[in-house]
Amino acid sequence: MENIKLTALTNKISFTGDLYIDNLFLLAPKSTPVSQELINALQLWQFEELQLDGNVSLGGDIGVSTNGNKTQNNSEENQQKENLGSSVKKVLEDSRAINIANDESLRLNMVKNVYLEYANYIESVYTHYSTHKEINQEELSETVQELCIFVKDNKRFLLRLLPDTSLINKNFLVIHSLRCTVLAIATALQLHMPLSKMIELGVCCILHEIGMLQLPPQIYMGSKQLTPGEKAMISKHPVYGHLIVKNLNFPTTIQLGILEHHEKENGTGYPRRLPGDKLSYTAKIISVICSYEAITSKRNYKSERSSLDGMVELLLNKNNTYSPDIVRALLHTVSLYPIGTYVYLKNRKIAIVTDTVSDNPKCPIVQLVTEKQADGSPVILETENPEYAILRVLTKQEQSDVLKIVEEKRKLIEEAQKIAMELNTPTKSQNESQKQEEKVPEKKESVKATFNENETEEVDISFFN
């Protein structure tokens, strides 16, 4: 994939590969001539660079390249299609083979690797549909099933990663879809949903924004406020998504979940303004999760709010917008102070929330940020204890300052350990001297033994060596 300047495009030019706005959104398929109208639109949208998977075509619609490259054959395309989920399977297999025992940092790192690989997978699903208009349903369901099991086994570690949106350098749709999927599956576990229903929910979450691919990307990726006309276009994406999965013969539950995920309990949602008793249960879950994720995530046109703010807004549930049961399940999943939140305790310590207490979402488990046990293990506290009660959530700036202090402290400890090791490690000359000292007494003993046999006086002959 290479960058190409917009100024390089001319009317009716074509390429041997696909032309993209970015690595996800197809602008012109292979060998399709670029029209002057399209060039004018790109200039109006202020795009300066595009991405090209190929070269300028000299052979019209047969796709002959200027450098003689041949197009990929069908078997290569089929192999690529079959391998979309192979990377996820491999990283899951690798994670099972790692002996992490009770090492929290190793386990968190392992979970992070799996989490990032699922982001790559979701990106590949969207990209493959954009270029081929295909989605492998069987593979998608199997991959989501693996994710359901992984979330069940590693929920608190995954929820700890979710607040950090900087982990994933991907398109907004990929980040949003992955975060919603993990949160939805974790909430489904709290609701005791059967595995088959959780898989349907996970598939629906991954694909719930796929209708956006039918819209100009500058509408939902731009940094300016939307016009009424653009908002009307955005409101159509659930319908577009529904048509996509319907044409691909996805189950009706998934079709409805995608169509209704922006509907509200009070009937004020879109696209059909249906009341809660007419909505599918899958759509109700995604509606709550999608709103929470949107509140707590940064967008080009707004900054993110804290996880606490997001949870409080859902709990207020103004105008009966959301299903109370699902909001309650989300609360017990992430707690009032969601995992990954930095908090200030009554004992004047700073901690990070690392786990929830299912029967008391106001008092999660925390880990001190700046202190450890004598053996190096983390200090874990239960905030149900009045001495360790949470007083407030740290601001974004306070959190940044604390993490800088922790990093500086870690570097100082490493430097001190390095110096200590150097002081305790003998130099080359010291080693040679020690070896020489060890060598001399051995000679004395051998000489002593020899002379003792002759009943003569012991003689030190080391000076002759």
Side-chain angles (χ1 to χ4, degrees):
M1 195 81 73
E2 296 182 357
N3 292 335
I4 179 172
K5 295 287 186 182
L6 178 61
T7 53
L9 297 188
T10 57
N11 189 28
K12 296 184 179 180
I13 191 173
S14 61
F15 302 94
T16 62
D18 296 327
L19 183 66
Y20 296 86
I21 287 181
D22 59 20
N23 62 358
L24 185 59
F25 298 98
L26 181 66
L27 185 64
K30 177 180 66 177
S31 302
T32 301
V34 176
S35 66
Q36 187 60 48
E37 290 77 8
L38 179 59
I39 295 173
N40 293 341
L42 291 170
Q43 291 172 342
L44 179 64
W45 297 336
Q46 298 183 347
F47 284 101
E48 296 181 356
E49 279 192 345
L50 307 171
Q51 292 188 339
L52 175 63
D53 187 15
N55 301 277
V56 176
S57 174
L58 299 180
D61 58 8
I62 62 172
V64 178
S65 170
T66 55
N67 63 3
N69 288 341
K70 296 181 179 180
T71 58
Q72 293 182 324
N73 57 37
N74 290 337
S75 62
E76 289 175 327
E77 291 186 354
N78 290 336
Q79 183 179 5
Q80 181 186 18
K81 184 182 359 177
E82 293 170 359
N83 289 338
L84 287 183
S86 60
S87 296
V88 172
K89 292 177 182 177
K90 185 178 185 305
V91 77
L92 284 170
E93 290 173 0
D94 292 344
S95 70
R96 297 185 188 106
I98 298 174
N99 182 20
I100 53 177
N102 294 321
D103 193 314
E104 294 271 313
S105 61
L106 279 179
R107 187 168 181 181
L108 184 62
N109 190 58
M110 177 273 290
V111 171
K112 177 182 175 182
N113 290 336
V114 175
Y115 178 68
L116 294 178
E117 198 53 55
Y118 266 97
N120 293 334
Y121 173 72
I122 293 174
E123 182 180 46
S124 71
V125 170
Y126 273 63
T127 303
H128 191 76
Y129 174 77
S130 180
T131 56
H132 295 78
K133 300 298 180 282
E134 298 172 341
I135 298 175
N136 188 328
Q137 292 187 47
E138 183 179 356
E139 179 193 69
L140 180 56
S141 294
E142 291 176 355
T143 307
V144 170
Q145 178 175 323
E146 292 281 1
L147 180 58
C148 291
I149 297 169
F150 190 78
V151 171
K152 182 178 183 295
D153 294 339
N154 301 278
K155 185 185 74 171
R156 69 186 180 93
F157 294 95
L158 279 166
L159 295 180
R160 185 170 172 180
L161 293 173
L162 283 187
D164 189 358
T165 55
S166 65
L167 280 177
I168 309 175
N169 185 22
K170 301 287 184 186
N171 184 282
F172 142 73
L173 295 182
V174 175
I175 300 173
H176 174 68
S177 298
L178 176 58
R179 281 163 54 88
C180 283
T181 303
V182 172
L183 281 169
I185 292 173
T187 304
L189 288 167
Q190 182 67 34
L191 291 166
H192 305 291
M193 290 177 67
L195 180 59
S196 60
K197 294 298 181 183
M198 281 198 289
I199 294 171
E200 285 185 349
L201 174 64
V203 170
C204 200
C205 273
I206 287 177
L207 299 179
H208 78 282
E209 300 287 19
I210 199 164
M212 288 286 197
L213 297 183
Q214 306 294 330
L215 302 174
Q218 76 276 7
I219 291 180
Y220 54 87
M221 293 178 63
S223 56
K224 60 181 182 179
Q225 292 293 326
L226 298 177
T227 65
E230 290 170 334
K231 289 180 180 179
M233 292 178 67
I234 285 284
S235 67
K236 294 177 181 177
H237 81 271
V239 177
Y240 294 146
H242 169 257
L243 291 174
I244 288 172
V245 295
K246 182 180 180 181
N247 291 335
L248 293 173
N249 297 317
F250 274 81
T252 304
T253 50
I254 293 175
Q255 294 180 33
L256 290 176
I258 291 174
L259 178 63
E260 299 171 353
H261 74 273
H262 277 297
E263 301 283 3
K264 305 300 180 187
E265 286 288 317
N266 57 14
T268 62
Y270 62 88
R272 297 189 293 171
R273 303 178 70 85
L274 295 178
D277 59 348
K278 302 292 184 183
L279 300 176
S280 69
Y281 196 58
T282 297
K284 290 186 176 189
I285 295 175
I286 299 178
S287 175
V288 170
I289 300 300
C290 196
S291 297
Y292 175 79
E293 198 282 333
I295 295 169
T296 58
S297 292
K298 185 179 180 180
R299 298 286 189 264
N300 291 335
Y301 55 87
K302 75 172 188 72
S303 58
E304 75 272 29
R305 290 159 63 191
S306 72
S307 300
L308 175 62
D309 288 341
M311 199 67 252
V312 168
E313 182 167 323
L314 293 184
L315 288 170
L316 290 174
N317 202 6
K318 293 180 180 178
N319 302 318
N320 191 32
T321 304
Y322 309 106
S323 167
D325 292 341
I326 296 172
V327 171
R328 194 177 304 112
L330 177 62
L331 172 64
H332 284 270
T333 299
V334 300
S335 88
L336 188 59
Y337 302 96
I339 293 175
T341 303
Y342 286 80
V343 293
Y344 185 69
L345 306 181
K346 188 176 180 180
N347 63 354
R348 303 179 69 181
K349 305 289 185 181
I350 294 172
I352 181 172
V353 178
T354 58
D355 204 356
T356 61
V357 178
S358 59
D359 58 346
N360 191 354
K362 295 182 180 180
C363 299
I365 306 297
V366 300
Q367 173 183 315
L368 293 187
V369 173
T370 58
E371 296 180 22
K372 290 186 177 182
Q373 303 280 13
D375 61 357
S377 59
V379 179
I380 306 296
L381 302 176
E382 296 180 359
T383 57
E384 287 181 306
N385 187 330
E387 294 182 16
Y388 310 133
I390 296 175
L391 296 183
R392 65 178 179 87
V393 175
L394 266 62
T395 65
K396 191 174 181 180
Q397 184 58 52
E398 288 172 334
Q399 177 182 325
S400 177
D401 293 341
V402 168
L403 292 178
K404 285 180 182 178
I405 293 172
V406 171
E407 180 62 17
E408 290 174 0
K409 184 177 180 180
R410 183 188 64 80
K411 288 180 179 179
L412 288 172
I413 292 173
E414 287 182 353
E415 290 177 4
Q417 290 174 339
K418 184 178 178 181
I419 293 172
M421 288 180 64
E422 290 175 351
L423 291 175
N424 293 329
T425 302
T427 62
K428 183 176 179 181
S429 59
Q430 288 174 330
N431 284 335
E432 291 177 352
S433 175
Q434 184 177 0
K435 289 179 181 178
Q436 185 69 19
E437 290 174 0
E438 293 173 352
K439 184 177 178 182
V440 170
E442 289 178 3
K443 290 188 176 182
K444 288 183 180 180
E445 285 183 18
S446 63
V447 171
K448 178 179 178 181
T450 301
F451 284 8
N452 281 345
E453 288 179 356
N454 297 322
E455 297 182 357
T456 56
E457 185 179 12
E458 179 181 344
V459 178
D460 185 354
I461 62 170
S462 61
F463 296 106
F464 297 96
N465 291 337

